[in-house]
Amino acid sequence: MNDPFLRDVQFMKEALKEALKAYEKDEVPVGAVLVFENRIIARGHNQTELLQDATAHAEMLCLTAGASQRNNWRLTDTTLYCTLEPCCMCAGALLSSRVKRLVWGAKDLRVGANGSWIDVFSQKHPMHEIEILSGVLEEESAALLKKFFQQKRKKAILHEC
């Protein structure tokens, strides 16, 4: 596929598949895929509830799997696709892992670290810079999150009755 935007959409659809896995496990539906040389080398979805670990975000799990697959913590020349704007923790991991490019979907007004709450990436990093494209399949990503939280609120109301 020669069109870079269509390639981004294709890989973001794969990240959405991961988000759906999280949704089906009653996790906040966020998914990520890591791509190297136009091939997915790692996948991840939120597992915070399953693992009872606040750091078990889709991005973190995907970066760990990618480092293992490449046998190198330096993930140079990779692109991370994520359905949600990364938080500060994940933004730091992306910088530390030396990911070349980040593509994300929906804004995270609560803890988004690419401008929705704070912009970690606007600060000049001493060693690394990440190319960022936001808003890819934003509506699809946001719709899944909205559906998840609407269901959570509905269940909470039913339990109060």
Side-chain angles (χ1 to χ4, degrees), residues 6-160:
L6 290 178
R7 187 170 41 246
D8 287 340
V9 168
Q10 173 194 343
F11 287 126
M12 187 59 83
K13 284 180 180 178
E14 293 297 316
L16 273 166
K17 288 178 186 176
E18 290 298 314
L20 210 53
K21 288 179 187 177
Y23 178 87
E24 290 166 355
K25 296 175 183 176
D26 204 29
E27 296 275 359
V28 175
V30 179
V33 296
L34 187 66
V35 173
F36 177 67
E37 295 179 346
N38 290 316
R39 187 174 58 85
I40 295 172
I41 62 167
R43 296 173 174 271
H45 56 273
N46 274 6
Q47 295 185 47
T48 305
E49 298 300 329
L50 173 71
L51 300 175
Q52 286 300 295
D53 180 356
T55 69
H57 290 191
E59 304 95 308
M60 300 295 284
L61 298 172
C62 191
L63 292 172
T64 299
S68 179
Q69 196 280 335
R70 287 191 72 188
N71 201 27
N72 191 339
W73 62 267
R74 292 174 191 87
L75 298 173
T76 53
D77 298 322
T78 61
T79 299
L80 183 86
Y81 292 84
C82 189
T83 59
L84 185 65
E85 175 183 6
C87 69
C88 288
M89 172 183 66
C90 294
L94 286 159
L95 287 165
S96 294
S97 298
R98 308 221 173 99
V99 169
K100 181 179 183 176
R101 191 165 173 258
L102 166 66
V103 179
W104 59 266
K107 293 178 181 178
D108 186 345
L109 301 176
R110 200 175 47 89
V111 294
N114 190 206
S116 294
W117 171 60
I118 194 169
D119 195 351
V120 170
F121 300 107
S122 68
Q123 303 300 309
K124 176 125 176 72
H125 190 271
M127 296 172 48
H128 187 63
E129 191 174 314
I130 299 176
E131 177 189 332
I132 300 172
L133 176 62
S134 61
V136 176
L137 298 187
E138 180 175 8
E139 289 179 21
E140 294 88 333
S141 298
L144 186 58
L145 286 157
K146 184 176 181 181
K147 181 179 175 184
F148 176 81
F149 286 111
Q150 283 175 338
Q151 288 179 341
K152 283 287 185 193
R153 283 190 292 279
K154 227 181 250 183
K155 283 180 188 175
I157 291 169
L158 289 174
H159 282 96
E160 288 176 3

